[in-house]
Amino acid sequence: MGFQPEQCAKLCCLFIEDFEPPKCSVSGPGNPCDVCLQVSEMDVQIARARSLLADLGSKRKQLKMKLNSRHDQIARYLPVEVASHIFTFYVHGTDGTQPSYKTASSAKRGVPLVLAAVCKAWRRIIFASPQLWTTMSIDLSIARDPALQVELATQWLRRSGNMPLSITVDAPPNDGSQRPDRHTGALFEILKTYAFRWKQLALSIPNKFYSAFTEGLDDVPLLESLSLMRTWDDTELQLYDELADVFALNVAPCFKNLAISSIELNLLQMQIDSLTSLWFNNVTVDEIFEILSHATQLIKCEFYRIQGNTNSFPFPDAPVVHSSLKSLSISPEDKNGATPEELSHLFDLLELPSLKYFSHISTNSKHPMAVMSLSSLFTRSHSPLEHLSITVTDTGVASSESEIISLLENLPTITHFAISSPHDIPTMITDIFFKRLAMAPSAKDDGFLPDIFLPHLEVFNFTGPRAFSWQSFANIFLSPASEQHSNTAQSTPFASKSIPSSSFLTTTGHPTRRALRHCNFKIKCSQFAGFGEPIQDKDIVVALVGIQKTGNVIVNVVAQNRAGEDRDEIERALNLFGLKRENI
């Protein structure tokens, strides 16, 4: 590819500035020409100007510090303890807590040093406040002076006193060397000197550096959270098996939170029986069984990009019973991950009697959600499931509406249900689902009521294209006495049959009906800039506004186009009919 004219001009200017011709001898040996003399004189003037500018910059810095001190509203008027507390809130967040163990905010790197540069009074307070130096984030990829970075890390850790530490280390993909360079190795040794005070540790470094980092680590008594995010280049990816390195921690009695990505479980030599929270990206089916079999105190698990069985660990002969797990998130690999059979096998060999929160994210067009196996898991476990979230991100994958209804019919304990699909899947939720949701119980001959669909549902969140009529949506808010009218009015999808606003619930609802209190709908429109037609039925709009004004049920309906812009659907309909909320 050739250079553009403006690029050539820049290159030429740089070349002219940097080019130094040989000693001038045009006017004879030792006698430079007049142009060379002018250039030499100009260089002297530039050097003087640069020296003057540096001197002015230094003087301005001193004046600025005096100015900051003169106008200081913190150290000048507040006690040192209060000022230190304010700085702590600024560095660690408004609540004074330290950042999450999974991620570190690069925006906060070096903040104590920035504050210390304001004035001498601030510097004295900050250097004497060890709680400001308990979080350290190191990015080896942007280090211009590695030796200076090592010195800064040493001083930083010394200022932290005896307080627990939260440390993050980021490094670029490895260049092929088997061990870290001299400065990186020195930095690792400094960090290990303070290992007895580690509370949170997040590493995003090449796998080949693990042994150098953990070598000599005997005890990390305060460590609660560990994050290992693997970095690699294309060469290292091809040589994955050859470059495998072990991350070993012998004694970590407080270890509770683990987040790992693209690291084989058998490369971790540490006790996991005390874990309560796990986030695992790029995990295999057999690794999931191994984790749930040994980490018996887990409360929350998130498994993403689930791969097929690698036979690294044996499959269980009987269902693995995990009595403490309350929250489980599942997301298969988007391309070459676990097959539907392997995922079904996973669900068939689990029993989770304490499960309350379940999330399933479908990203693979060939692998829809294993509804039957999931239903069997929940039934077998007698799980008190309260929160269910189903997310579809691929246009070629979707469980049928009948499968979703069948799954929910066996989950009467659900209080929060969320379902999300992209623009191109219009059949996840239709009038059939709303008709089932709006169906009122009626007494049988024997006096018993049939099972109510989602009897404890409190929050219903929907995101996706609209494949249902507004009439059927409105029917879920109808009072039982009006449902005979609603059932006859919605026989045809997208029918615009009017229903009287007096039929809508304006109290807490019938005692046999669910306690629905939040209904949040985001309708994804196919247009890039438009939002489609608003609600066309005036009675439905009036009734929905009436429901909103009672405050018993919060109803939010938003349309979103492909550009990501949102519009309130009820407000659009009010404008269409020239109505005002205060008059309804």
Side-chain angles (χ1 to χ4, degrees):
M1 180 184 294
F3 288 108
Q4 298 297 324
E6 56 271 17
Q7 291 176 312
C8 290
K10 291 180 180 179
L11 288 174
C12 290
C13 290
L14 291 173
F15 180 77
I16 291 174
E17 290 179 2
D18 295 337
F19 178 68
E20 292 291 343
K23 215 168 206 184
C24 178
S25 57
V26 173
S27 302
N31 296 314
C33 67
D34 57 340
V35 176
C36 289
L37 290 174
Q38 293 176 21
V39 170
S40 298
E41 184 179 350
M42 185 68 66
D43 288 340
V44 171
Q45 295 179 19
I46 290 174
R48 289 173 181 169
R50 286 175 175 170
S51 177
L52 177 61
L53 185 61
D55 184 54
L56 291 174
S58 178
K59 291 179 179 179
R60 186 186 185 282
K61 181 179 178 181
Q62 298 299 321
L63 287 174
K64 190 68 168 62
M65 293 179 66
K66 291 182 179 180
L67 182 149
N68 291 339
S69 179
R70 179 75 57 86
H71 295 275
D72 180 19
Q73 300 295 318
I74 296 180
R76 192 178 181 89
Y77 300 105
L78 296 177
V80 173
E81 294 80 5
V82 176
S84 177
H85 207 51
I86 293 173
F87 292 144
T88 301
F89 275 3
Y90 181 78
V91 172
H92 293 313
T94 55
D95 58 355
T97 60
Q98 292 185 342
S100 165
Y101 72 96
K102 285 193 203 175
T103 58
S105 173
S106 59
K108 292 285 186 178
R109 283 179 179 145
V111 170
L113 293 176
V114 175
L115 296 176
V118 172
C119 63
K120 291 182 178 179
W122 281 30
R123 185 155 54 250
R124 283 195 298 267
I125 296 173
I126 288 168
F127 282 3
S129 301
Q131 68 272 19
L132 298 178
W133 306 90
T134 58
T135 299
M136 183 170 66
S137 182
I138 302 171
D139 191 345
L140 298 174
S141 64
I142 61 175
R144 298 181 178 179
D145 188 340
L148 177 61
Q149 189 175 50
V150 172
E151 178 60 27
L152 285 174
T154 303
Q155 295 183 13
W156 190 295
L157 292 170
R158 286 174 181 170
R159 295 188 184 114
S160 64
N162 293 315
M163 303 193 70
L165 297 171
S166 176
I167 296 176
T168 299
V169 181
D170 295 313
N174 191 263
D175 58 3
S177 59
Q178 295 299 316
R179 294 185 63 83
D181 59 36
R182 179 168 60 89
H183 293 293
T184 302
L187 184 62
F188 287 177
E189 292 302 318
I190 293 170
L191 295 177
K192 288 190 288 185
T193 304
Y194 295 85
F196 68 98
R197 288 200 281 121
W198 291 352
K199 184 177 181 181
Q200 298 176 342
L201 178 64
L203 301 178
S204 181
I205 62 177
N207 171 267
K208 289 186 292 186
F209 290 1
Y210 285 169
S211 59
F213 188 88
T214 60
E215 185 177 6
L217 279 180
D218 296 325
D219 191 6
V220 281
L222 301 183
L223 186 66
E224 293 181 0
S225 304
L226 173 65
S227 173
L228 297 176
M229 302 294 147
R230 184 165 185 169
T231 62
W232 46 21
D233 56 19
D234 293 338
T235 303
E236 190 171 355
L237 181 61
Q238 295 172 2
L239 302 175
Y240 179 86
D241 293 332
E242 299 179 9
L243 300 174
D245 202 356
V246 173
F247 188 93
L249 286 179
N250 296 325
V251 181
C254 298
F255 189 38
K256 295 185 180 301
N257 306 306
L258 176 62
I260 51 180
S261 178
S262 302
I263 299 172
E264 293 183 4
L265 185 63
N266 56 16
L267 297 181
L268 301 180
Q269 293 184 2
M270 61 182 69
Q271 296 294 324
I272 64 171
D273 52 354
S274 61
L275 281 181
T276 59
S277 177
L278 173 66
W279 183 93
F280 203 150
N281 181 57
N282 203 1
V283 59
T284 64
V285 172
D286 52 319
E287 287 176 333
I288 293 177
F289 281 125
E290 183 71 9
I291 290 169
L292 295 180
S293 297
H294 292 86
T296 56
Q297 298 185 43
L298 275 172
I299 297 175
K300 181 179 180 180
C301 272
E302 298 177 67
F303 296 117
Y304 297 99
R305 294 181 63 194
I306 300 176
Q307 309 290 331
N309 180 31
T310 58
N311 296 317
S312 299
F313 301 96
F315 261 47
D317 296 325
V320 174
V321 180
H322 200 293
S323 301
S324 64
L325 190 64
K326 294 182 178 180
S327 177
L328 177 62
S329 296
I330 294 288
S331 179
E333 166 63 284
D334 55 352
K335 293 181 180 179
N336 302 313
T339 65
E341 293 75 18
E342 288 173 318
L343 291 175
S344 296
H345 198 186
L346 170 65
F347 297 139
D348 290 338
L349 287 176
L350 288 180
E351 192 169 322
L352 310 173
S354 299
L355 192 65
K356 290 186 176 182
Y357 305 87
F358 181 79
S359 172
H360 189 286
I361 303 175
S362 298
T363 60
N364 193 324
S365 60
K366 299 179 181 179
H367 302 166
M369 185 172 63
V371 175
M372 297 301 294
S373 294
L374 277 177
S375 181
S376 175
L377 165 63
F378 299 142
T379 302
R380 179 175 61 255
S381 303
H382 301 287
S383 305
L385 200 65
E386 297 177 356
H387 292 240
L388 176 63
S389 175
I390 299 173
T391 303
V392 176
T393 61
D394 193 289
T395 58
V397 62
S399 299
S400 67
E401 184 178 36
S402 60
E403 288 180 318
I404 294 174
I405 293 176
S406 175
L407 176 65
L408 293 173
E409 284 177 335
N410 295 317
L411 297 173
T413 56
I414 290 293
T415 60
H416 293 66
F417 175 56
I419 185 167
S420 176
S421 63
H423 294 84
D424 304 317
I425 300 183
T427 58
M428 293 282 283
I429 298 293
T430 70
D431 285 352
I432 297 173
F433 183 89
F434 285 107
K435 184 174 182 179
R436 184 70 179 89
L437 192 62
M439 190 178 297
S442 58
K444 292 184 177 180
D445 296 336
D446 55 11
F448 291 96
L449 293 175
D451 291 337
I452 306 172
F453 185 59
L454 299 177
H456 299 288
L457 185 65
E458 298 178 11
V459 179
F460 182 17
N461 296 323
F462 169 83
T463 301
R466 183 172 71 91
F468 52 84
S469 66
W470 291 115
Q471 174 76 61
S472 64
F473 169 71
N475 284 346
I476 67 175
F477 304 105
L478 283 171
S479 62
S482 66
E483 289 183 354
Q484 183 178 0
H485 172 84
S486 69
N487 289 336
T488 59
Q490 67 157 7
S491 57
T492 304
F494 298 94
S496 183
K497 307 288 185 180
S498 295
I499 54 177
S501 59
S502 60
S503 299
F504 287 76
L505 288 173
T506 55
T507 63
T508 56
H510 192 280
T512 61
R513 295 297 297 274
R514 63 191 58 83
L516 188 62
R517 53 185 176 84
H518 283 85
C519 194
N520 304 306
F521 273 51
K522 180 172 286 187
I523 309 299
K524 290 191 174 182
C525 306
S526 58
Q527 299 96 327
F528 183 80
F531 297 93
E533 291 186 349
I535 303 172
Q536 299 292 311
D537 193 310
K538 182 177 179 181
D539 289 326
I540 292 177
V541 177
V542 171
L544 290 178
V545 173
I547 289 293
Q548 289 180 326
K549 295 180 75 171
T550 65
N552 295 323
V553 182
I554 298 175
V555 181
N556 298 315
V557 184
V558 174
Q560 184 183 74
N561 60 25
R562 288 184 179 268
E565 301 170 324
D566 293 343
R567 292 292 185 276
D568 189 305
E569 279 291 272
I570 297 179
E571 290 297 329
R572 291 178 65 214
L574 287 174
N575 294 332
L576 174 68
F577 294 110
L579 300 175
K580 294 186 179 296
R581 285 181 176 270
E582 55 269 23
N583 297 330
I584 296 176

